[in-house]
């Protein structure tokens, strides 16, 4: 099984993918909950437009998303130059840019899962807490969020899994730099372009499958446990 042994470069791609996916998921969590709550409970003009914008990365070619990020956060772009010159924040051709691209691509999946969970909550439970004098923020934190937890967990894992497999937006925005922006999909693509790279591509493909499948299984197990706990309580 010598062919299964990863090279240092391959380990680096695996580590970077996990790092990028974790931060993409983490950065999306709070905005994802707020947007999902707005779409599930809000009644305002432009709600359909907001919903369309949130889900736009799912239907646009990923390369388009990456190009728009480059136009917005590139070093020569107004916003990108402002962030770099004033705060030292650089996204283009950095792993942080890969995390940003992955966060945007996985955001619709997170929002949808959380929104469906929020819409399934019995509003009478929240109303009952309100009649007892609980503040709306306290009701949200102690009743709404715990009841929506299965959907939140599912959304987080879906976002993580999407980030693990993201290729088009990341390679367009941050390129394919070994050790800096070369994630698993980029490394697999590189291996397929060089003679004798089939073994490396196969190793990383198997790792991608194991990580993604494991993430989905963990999501299912955690969601079931949370659901059971809520039913018992």
């Amino acid at each position: 099984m010598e062919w299964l042994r990863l090279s240092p470069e391959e380990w680096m791609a695996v580590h970077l993918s996990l790092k990028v996916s974790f931060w993409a998921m983490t950065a999306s969590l709070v905005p994802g909950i707020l947007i999902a709550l707005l779409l599930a409970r809000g009644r305002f003009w432009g709600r359909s437009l907001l919903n369309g914008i949130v889900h736009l990365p799912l239907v646009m070619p990923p390369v388009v998303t990456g190009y728009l990020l480059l136009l917005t956060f590139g070093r020569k772009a107004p916003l990108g130059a402002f962030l770099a010159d004033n705060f030292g924040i650089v996204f283009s051709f950095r792993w942080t840019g890969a995390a940003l691209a992955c966060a945007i691509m996985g955001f619709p999946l997170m929002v949808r899962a959380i929104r469906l969970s929020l819409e399934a909550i019995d509003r009478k439970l929240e109303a009952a807490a309100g009649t007892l004098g609980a503040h709306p923020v306290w009701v949200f934190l102690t009743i709404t969020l715990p009841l929506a937890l299965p959907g939140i967990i599912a959304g987080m894992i879906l976002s993580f899994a999407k980030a693990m497999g993201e290729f088009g937006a990341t390679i367009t925005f941050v390129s394919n730099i070994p050790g800096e922006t070369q994630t698993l999909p980029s490394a697999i693509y590189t291996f397929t372009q060089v003679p004798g790279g089939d073994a490396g591509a196969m190793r990383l493909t198997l790792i991608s499958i194991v990580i993604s499948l494991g993430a989905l299984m963990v999501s299912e197990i955690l969601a079931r446990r949370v659901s059971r706990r809520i039913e018992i309580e």
Side-chain angles (χ1 to χ4, degrees):
M1 303 296 287
E2 183 69 23
W3 71 277
L4 287 176
R5 184 172 299 173
L6 299 181
S7 67
E9 293 77 14
E10 292 167 359
W11 275 116
M12 191 174 298
V14 174
H15 175 265
L16 184 61
S17 288
L18 293 172
K19 178 181 178 180
V20 165
S21 299
F22 171 79
W23 284 111
M25 176 192 69
T26 303
S28 300
L29 183 57
V30 173
I33 293 174
L34 295 177
I35 294 295
L37 182 65
L38 195 61
L39 292 174
R41 304 285 178 83
R43 295 294 180 267
F44 55 93
W45 184 90
R47 181 169 170 266
S48 297
L49 178 61
L50 176 61
N51 185 59
I53 293 174
V54 168
H55 290 87
L56 199 56
L58 288 181
V59 295
M60 281 198 316
V63 174
V64 174
T65 302
Y67 181 63
L68 291 176
L69 286 171
L70 193 60
L71 292 179
T72 305
F73 294 101
R75 289 298 300 266
K76 295 183 179 181
L79 182 56
F82 174 79
L83 292 174
D85 295 339
N86 293 278
F87 302 100
I89 300 174
V90 179
F91 288 107
S92 59
F93 308 107
R94 300 282 182 88
W95 76 267
T96 51
L100 175 62
C102 289
I104 291 175
M105 294 301 296
F107 192 69
L109 299 176
M110 175 179 286
V111 170
R112 182 169 179 80
I114 299 174
R115 177 184 176 180
L116 292 175
S117 186
L118 288 170
E119 290 176 342
I121 294 175
D122 187 354
R123 300 293 297 274
K124 295 178 181 178
L125 297 174
E126 298 170 319
T131 58
L132 295 175
H135 192 276
V137 175
W138 185 249
V139 172
F140 176 74
L141 293 176
T142 59
I143 295 179
T144 308
L145 272 185
L147 290 175
L149 197 54
I152 294 174
I153 293 174
M156 291 174 63
I157 301 300
L158 286 173
S159 174
F160 180 88
K162 175 65 176 176
M164 285 294 299
E166 177 51 40
F167 174 71
T170 54
I171 200 170
T172 304
F173 182 38
V174 298
S175 190
N176 184 13
I177 306 171
E180 180 64 34
T181 64
Q182 189 178 75
T183 56
L184 275 173
S186 301
I188 292 172
Y189 174 78
T190 300
F191 275 122
T192 62
Q193 303 302 305
V194 298
D198 292 343
M202 179 58 69
R203 285 193 294 268
L204 295 183
T205 297
L206 291 175
I207 289 176
S208 298
I209 293 173
V210 169
I211 292 176
S212 299
L213 185 59
L216 293 174
M217 291 177 65
V218 168
S219 171
E220 183 70 19
I221 293 172
L222 290 176
R224 286 182 180 179
R225 288 184 177 179
V226 171
S227 298
R228 291 173 183 172
R229 185 175 300 174
I230 292 175
E231 290 176 358
I232 293 173
E233 294 177 352

